[in-house]
Structures are given as structure tokens and as C-alpha cells.
Amino acid sequence: MKDNPLSNWPPIIDSDHIPRWVKMRDIFLTIGAWLIILATFHSLLWIIFEYFSDPIFELSTTATPQWSEIWQKVSRFFYIALGLVSWICFLAISRRKIINSTQYIKTFPPSVQMKELEADLGVSSADIERWHKLPSVEVFVNENNRVCKIIPSQKI
Amino acid sequence: MSWYWIAGSLLYWFIRERHRPNYNLPPELPDTPLVSVLLPCFNESKQLHETMAVLMDSKYPNYEVIAINDGSSDNTGEILDQLLHQYPKLRVAHLVENQGKSTALNAGLLMARADLLVCIDGDALLDPHAIHWLVFRFLTNDRMGGISGNPRIRNRSTLLGKLQVGEFSSIVGMIKRTQALYGTLFTVSGVVCAFRKLAVMEAGLWAPAAMTDDVDLTFRIQAKGWEVGFEPHALCWILMPETLRGLWKQRLRWSEGGSQAAIGATMAILKSHPFAWSLLLIWSNFFISTFWAFCIVIWFTILNVNQFFSGNAYTIYQNFLPHSWGIILASTYLFQSLIGLLLDRQYDKTSLRSIGWMIWYPLVYWCIQTCSCVVGFTQALFRPKNIKGTWVSPDRGVR
């Protein structure tokens, strides 16, 4: 990229300039966080491990979880999630042509409509055309936060 | 909702995204209409050279850049005047007094020669192919009023920076993909977005009283019957806070601004003609999520206070560790992160590395999000209507 002060693209700023202790702190804290999560998951992980180890598809040392009780707790939310997923699938399939539209549409600048809107904003087309030609301007704003005056900048 | 976002984003990828070429090989356009890039600046002297150099290297052949200096107190104005001689495509507007981002953008719109506007922040680096992708969307849908680009995090120095890389893929990107399926977005990302000038003018321009100008305008454009879409190929590299204080301030502002816009849009949605059903969906989603955040905060506070006064203060820490439902939510979120990062891998090859850091989201980060949602919504309810949205000097991370 010519004139580009950034030598690398994408312009990611990584942790090269960060003190070593900060990097180590972040890594150790994150490992700690994973261990906490794994510790809370340990019963579940153990059941999965046991289920798939020899004898396969059987739980020999752990008591079988109360699946019906768990399902009773979870089922309501499962059906809500299923309903939402079904709805978004239906919507996506029915709108797939619009979502993936690639056909070019020739649109003409709606000049009449634009002029009406400019008038609504309290600016004339002549003013707008003049502003379009100016490379540098000073902008004045009124108490209603509307642009009330644009003049060529004196700074250049 | 997590499964809804996962399904929606995978559908979006399957229906649209996978058919598109790589982001740096955009499709050929039959026509390259003039585009005005609006660059509002407030005290951006440190970033301006960098932003402008990248912007001027865009591969799109027909564009102008309008930099709006919103009464900066540093030397932003002088830098812009110097750059004017260096870049023929640049035009500059100096607001005599600081007015806020919305007014700056409105001034830029009046100066813009083009019917298509691309807006980026003063510290954001627009990918050289991004304008091309945004124009492609306008040329293939004449009801498309606004498009959100795909913001990517630049600063990944600290834990918070790395965490936000994952967040933007697994939360922001996935929600936008899903919402794009019904042609509606809660917000275009103000840091990189594009509009038809006509749509902005029909919606009544950017509102100076809006705290988050992007959310507010997105709602109003859609209430006028325009579609709003997401273009993941239009990349923009942004700086995000890397301190907890900076992050909290930013999220609080987003939450307050989002709440303000959603509350303000209520009547516009109800009165919209033809009725904006898809916008109602987004609006309801926002209020249900906010209600959920309030429930969580109230329940968790009562739980801890109760435990504290019943003599079990030493075991309060256990409430912060996931149990049963917490495990389900945490594992679902980690799965969502993985899908989000895989979907965004084509735009950011190193994004998958942040999966390791994502563990903080279910453990800590979502607490910040939930609390900022509650505080922000409450502040929005009691915010006087005539206060102007102001510029904030954001935490731009460790550089």
C-alpha cells in the first residue's frame, strides 16, 4: 500500500509490546478459568468417558443419571429453542432469493424526491449545488442543531 | 436464543455468504456510482494520518472523502487542511463549534455529491475492498437503505482485546447474520456503515439527541420501509477499549443509546405503513432481552443478600460458578463461539485463536453485559429528551 503508514495488513496490534508478566498473567488466569469450568463439568465428562469406554454404551461405576427428571427440567426450553430454530429456517428458506440477490438493478437518482426532502430540511437546491463544489468549508449550526450556513473555509 | 443465533448465522452463510468470493476479490460491478465517505473527527490527531492513508488506498474507483472536523480542541483541523493538499479526493468541513457526531454527519451529508454514503469513525481503518462490497449490495437491492459492515478488532494486546475478537464474531456477527435473514437489523455498526442518501433524508437525518446515532437512525430508516442489511465482506479494523473502566463506559453508552432508540421507535413502529413486522420482531427481542437481564440481576442480588444475612457469606463465591443451568448456558455459549469464529475465519485468519480466551465470557464478561444493560436501560428511561448526544473520548486500547 503506497503512502500507508501501516506496513502489515491486516493491521492487527498484537501483544508484542506488552510486558512479559502481563502476558503470563493473562495466560495463567485463563488456564485457571478453563480448569474451573472443567471442574464444574467433571461429572458430565466422566459419564461421557465411561459411556464410551469398555464395556461400551454402559455405565458401570457411575449411577445412571435421572434422565426423565433432567428432561422434565429441560424440555420446555428445548421446545422453545426448537420453535425458534424452525421459525428462522422457514423464514430463511422462504426469503432465500432476496437474501442471496445478485441481479443488478439499475436505479436512477431520484432527483425530484431529493429536492423535496432538501426543501423540507430548509436548504435550497442552489445552496446544495454550491456546497458540492467547495473543497473546504466552515459550517455554522443553529440552536436547533440544523446546519444554517456553509461558507468556503478561509484556512486554505 | 443462542440456538436461534447459531441456526440463523449458519443459514445466512449457507444461503449467501458461501457463494461469494474471498473478501479481497469482490465481484465486478457493471457500474461504479460515486460514493461519499463521511469521516467525522473529534480530536483524532493521533489516528488521522493512518486512517486517511488507508482510506485513500481504497480499490473502489469512484469516491470522495469528506472529513468533518467537529470543533476539535487539538490540531485535527490543521492536519486536515494539510492533507487536503496531499489527497485530491479529500474535502473538509470544519464545524465552528463542537456539536456531536450526528450533527457532524448531517453536515457531511449536505456536502456529499454522491447518492451513496459510507460512514466510518475517525480511528477506523477501512479495508481497501470494503466500499466495493457495500456498493455491490446497493446495486443488487433497490430497497436497501442501509448496510452494516463487518467491524474487526485491531488491538489484541490484552485479555479484554482478545476476548472482544471472539465477542464480535460470536455475538455481534452471528446476531447480524440472523437478523439480516429477515431484512432488518437492530443497528448498523456506526463505525462502518453505508446508507442511501435518500433513505437518511426520508428518515429525517441523524438525530443530535440520540446517544447512539447508529441505532437510532437504523430504526427510523426501517420504519420508513427501507431494508437494512449486513455485509460481512466489508471489513473495517477498529480499536476497542482494553481496560475494564473503558469497556464499562462503552457498553453503558451502547446500552443506554440502544434503549433510548428502542423506546423512541415504539410509536414509529406502531404507526408504520405498511406495518414493519420485522422491525417489531427486533424491537420485541430487545425488550425481552432487557427483561431477562433485569430478572437475572434482581434474582442474583436477592440470592446473595439472602445468603449473606443467613450466615453463609463464605459460600457466596459458589454462586458465581456455573451449576446445572449455568453449565448448559456456558457450554452452549462456547459452542456458539466456535461456530462464530469459524464463520469469520475467512475474514480474519487468526480469529480462531481467541477461542481459548472466550472462557471468560460465560464466567465474567456476561455479568458486565447484563449489568450495563440494566443500568443503561434505567438511565435511558430517566434521560431528559433534549440533551444532545456528545462525543466521548474512547479508550482505544494499548498500542
Side-chain angles (χ1 to χ4, degrees), chain A residues 1 13 34 95 105 131-132, chain B residues 57 113 139 154 181 356:
Chain A
M1 280 188 187
I13 303 163
W34 274 104
R95 294 190 81 240
I105 301 163
W131 297 341
H132 285 179
Chain B
D57 217 22
R113 294 180 186 130
L139 293 185
R154 282 183 71 192
L181 290 176

Side-chain angles (χ1 to χ4, degrees), chain B residues 50-64:
Chain B
E50 195 178 65
T51 304
M52 202 61 80
V54 175
L55 199 48
M56 291 299 171
D57 217 22
S58 173
K59 303 289 179 243
Y60 189 76
N62 191 14
Y63 70 102
E64 61 171 2

Side-chain angles (χ1 to χ4, degrees), chain B residues 127-185:
Chain B
D127 185 85
H129 304 282
I131 301 178
H132 201 112
W133 281 105
L134 294 167
V135 172
F136 170 65
R137 292 301 294 274
F138 283 122
L139 293 185
T140 51
N141 185 344
D142 59 351
R143 288 307 300 161
M144 188 65 82
I147 303 166
S148 176
N150 187 0
R152 312 297 316 162
I153 312 288
R154 282 183 71 192
N155 48 332
R156 303 166 184 195
S157 310
T158 64
L159 193 56
L160 277 179
K162 287 166 184 157
L163 194 52
Q164 288 173 93
V165 176
E167 186 199 12
F168 267 68
S169 293
S170 64
I171 307 272
V172 179
M174 290 179 93
I175 290 177
K176 284 199 169 142
R177 280 182 179 90
T178 308
Q179 292 178 343
L181 290 176
Y182 34 91
T184 315
L185 290 184

Side-chain angles (χ1 to χ4, degrees), chain A residues 43-154:
Chain A
S43 311
L44 180 70
L45 294 172
W46 180 248
I47 287 173
I48 294 168
F49 172 75
E50 233 206 306
Y51 193 69
F52 289 104
S53 54
D54 196 39
I56 199 160
F57 306 135
E58 273 181 39
L59 295 174
S60 47
T61 57
T62 318
T64 311
Q66 299 295 317
W67 293 118
S68 58
E69 211 175 284
I70 294 171
W71 173 246
Q72 213 174 356
K73 277 186 188 173
V74 176
S75 59
R76 202 180 319 156
F77 297 96
F78 174 81
Y79 288 126
I80 292 172
L82 192 67
L84 286 170
V85 169
S86 311
W87 151 252
I88 198 71
C89 287
F90 165 75
L91 201 72
I93 292 165
S94 57
R95 294 190 81 240
R96 65 188 184 283
K97 280 187 183 158
I98 304 169
I99 295 164
N100 192 28
S101 60
T102 51
Q103 203 177 353
Y104 290 107
I105 301 163
K106 185 80 184 167
T107 46
F108 297 96
S111 53
V112 177
Q113 206 177 349
M114 198 74 103
K115 276 180 184 153
E116 283 170 10
L117 288 165
E118 285 164 3
D120 285 348
L121 294 174
V123 288
S124 70
S125 297
D127 277 344
I128 297 251
E129 265 177 46
R130 191 166 52 81
W131 297 341
H132 285 179
K133 288 174 188 152
L134 299 172
S136 178
V137 297
E138 282 184 39
V139 181
F140 295 83
V141 175
N142 64 18
E143 63 278 8
N144 300 322
N145 297 106
R146 284 282 172 92
V147 173
C148 58
K149 191 167 76 168
I150 295 182
I151 58 166
S153 174
Q154 307 300 313

Side-chain angles (χ1 to χ4, degrees), chain B residues 56-123:
Chain B
M56 291 299 171
D57 217 22
S58 173
K59 303 289 179 243
Y60 189 76
N62 191 14
Y63 70 102
E64 61 171 2
V65 176
I66 300 171
I68 310 115
N69 169 31
D70 186 18
S72 298
S73 52
D74 66 356
N75 62 341
T76 299
E78 288 87 65
I79 294 174
L80 285 174
D81 287 333
Q82 287 163 17
L83 291 173
L84 206 53
H85 300 290
Q86 194 179 340
Y87 300 116
K89 282 179 179 162
L90 177 64
R91 296 167 67 211
V92 177
H94 296 280
L95 263 69
V96 176
E97 280 173 39
N98 176 242
Q99 298 288 339
K101 189 179 173 186
S102 295
T103 308
L105 286 166
N106 288 338
L109 177 137
L110 291 175
M111 276 188 80
R113 294 180 186 130
D115 291 323
L116 300 179
L117 310 171
V118 171
C119 311
I120 66 163
D121 279 359
D123 58 351

Side-chain angles (χ1 to χ4, degrees), chain B residues 70-315:
Chain B
D70 186 18
S72 298
S73 52
D74 66 356
N75 62 341
T76 299
E78 288 87 65
I79 294 174
L80 285 174
D81 287 333
Q82 287 163 17
L83 291 173
L84 206 53
H85 300 290
Q86 194 179 340
Y87 300 116
K89 282 179 179 162
L90 177 64
R91 296 167 67 211
V92 177
H94 296 280
L95 263 69
V96 176
E97 280 173 39
N98 176 242
Q99 298 288 339
K101 189 179 173 186
S102 295
T103 308
L105 286 166
N106 288 338
L109 177 137
L110 291 175
M111 276 188 80
R113 294 180 186 130
D115 291 323
L116 300 179
L117 310 171
V118 171
C119 311
I120 66 163
D121 279 359
D123 58 351
L125 303 182
L126 192 67
D127 185 85
H129 304 282
I131 301 178
H132 201 112
W133 281 105
L134 294 167
V135 172
F136 170 65
R137 292 301 294 274
F138 283 122
L139 293 185
T140 51
N141 185 344
D142 59 351
R143 288 307 300 161
M144 188 65 82
I147 303 166
S148 176
N150 187 0
R152 312 297 316 162
I153 312 288
R154 282 183 71 192
N155 48 332
R156 303 166 184 195
S157 310
T158 64
L159 193 56
L160 277 179
K162 287 166 184 157
L163 194 52
Q164 288 173 93
V165 176
E167 186 199 12
F168 267 68
S169 293
S170 64
I171 307 272
V172 179
M174 290 179 93
I175 290 177
K176 284 199 169 142
R177 280 182 179 90
T178 308
Q179 292 178 343
L181 290 176
Y182 34 91
T184 315
L185 290 184
F186 181 77
T187 179
V188 299
S189 299
V191 69
V192 53
C193 53
F195 295 102
R196 269 184 217 279
K197 196 198 265 181
L198 181 68
V200 179
M201 289 175 82
E202 268 188 21
L205 305 182
W206 283 273
M211 275 196 81
T212 43
D213 50 281
D214 45 2
V215 187
D216 177 74
L217 184 65
T218 310
F219 264 109
R220 284 187 289 117
I221 281 184
Q222 293 175 114
K224 287 281 173 190
W226 291 93
E227 273 192 38
V228 173
F230 175 50
E231 182 46 68
H233 290 81
L235 307 184
C236 186
W237 297 88
I238 63 170
L239 296 170
M240 291 294 277
E242 284 193 284
T243 60
L244 274 175
R245 187 182 150 83
L247 185 75
W248 170 257
K249 278 172 76 176
Q250 184 199 49
R251 298 306 156 107
L252 191 60
R253 191 176 65 81
W254 285 2
S255 170
E256 191 178 343
S259 307
Q260 185 196 29
I263 295 166
T266 309
M267 288 318 287
I269 295 171
L270 296 177
K271 286 179 183 171
S272 59
H273 185 76
F275 192 73
W277 284 107
S278 51
L279 195 55
L280 185 70
L281 210 64
I282 302 269
W283 181 89
S284 322
N285 186 211
F286 171 80
F287 281 101
I288 291 169
S289 306
T290 306
F291 177 70
W292 180 83
F294 268 91
C295 290
I296 290 285
V297 169
I298 292 167
W299 166 76
F300 201 65
T301 310
I302 291 171
L303 179 78
N304 286 305
V305 169
N306 225 356
Q307 202 165 321
F308 183 82
F309 285 110
S310 58
N312 295 321
Y314 291 113
T315 55

